Amino acid sequence: EIVLTQSPGTLSLSPGERATLSCRASQSVSSSYLAWYQQKPGQAPRLLISGASSRATGIPDRFSGSGSGTDFTLTISRLEPEDLAVYYCQQYGSSPLTFGGGTKVEIK
Amino acid sequence: QVQLVQSGAEVKKPGASVKVSCKASGYTFTSYGFSWVRQAPGQGLEWMGWIDAYGNRNYAQKFQARVTMTTDTSTGTTYMELRSLRSDDTAVYYCARNGYCSSVSCLFDYWGQGTLVTVSS
């Protein structure tokens, strides 16, 4: 199975700063079938990005995804206080589908 | 709007079974399949399996022997039953709608609110 490793484990930034989250796969993710989810405290996950770079409906344009093959990035261009959350990547190009371990974004 | 509403929290003893429901609304139920994902306290997300709109199932190997997923199209509800519960099955269990799918796996475009299952003697 494809193992997804997310880094850093925790990111602590101030409002307005840029956040860069990494997701590295143990083997190539076919056709960039890579999604990102946001999970705020006490809530269910929410789909942010599909196909490595396509924002889901209603997601602000400060969230962007990029990458291919084994290296993927989620960027939050200008952090807002409500972006406090854990962010997970997930590959759906092979079976079984797998999730990364998550990156926690803290707001200073 | 799409909504997935799950059943309430459960407390079970080791060795027992639990059945969690997930009622969908706001779209054509038979057009999408469902997955179940669990999250142990303070931990990440773990996929358990999916059931598609035709009743085909694919379970994660870890749960193959203990899980059954079903759907009731008459009520627009999907179910996940987990048997032989252990303390390490304590987790929040989420249903999620299968959004876009590759030939073998899917992403999840809508999620239920989660159901806490506590396994304790």
Side-chain angles (χ1 to χ4, degrees), chain A residues 75-90:
Chain A
T75 301
I76 311 172
S77 59
R78 298 171 307 280
L79 266 178
E80 304 269 350
E82 62 262 31
D83 298 334
L84 164 72
V86 179
Y87 294 82
Y88 294 95
C89 58
Q90 178 229 335

Side-chain angles (χ1 to χ4, degrees), chain A residues 39-103:
Chain A
Q39 186 177 34
K40 295 183 178 181
Q43 296 185 17
R46 176 175 71 148
L47 177 66
L48 293 178
I49 301 284
S50 64
S53 61
S54 297
R55 271 189 304 278
T57 304
I59 301 304
D61 61 7
R62 66 178 183 276
F63 291 93
S64 64
S66 63
S68 63
T70 60
D71 288 294
F72 298 87
T73 301
L74 175 70
T75 301
I76 311 172
S77 59
R78 298 171 307 280
L79 266 178
E80 304 269 350
E82 62 262 31
D83 298 334
L84 164 72
V86 179
Y87 294 82
Y88 294 95
C89 58
Q90 178 229 335
Q91 67 80 20
Y92 52 104
S94 66
S95 184
L97 67 89
T98 49
F99 290 96
T103 291

Side-chain angles (χ1 to χ4, degrees), chain B residues 31-43:
Chain B
S31 294
Y32 295 86
F34 294 91
S35 288
W36 289 86
V37 176
R38 77 176 187 179
Q39 186 170 39
Q43 302 301 308

Side-chain angles (χ1 to χ4, degrees), chain A residues 7-8 11 19-23 36 72-76 87 103 105:
Chain A
S7 61
L11 200 51
T20 303
L21 288 65
S22 172
C23 176
W36 290 93
F72 298 87
T73 301
L74 175 70
T75 301
I76 311 172
Y87 294 82
T103 291
V105 173

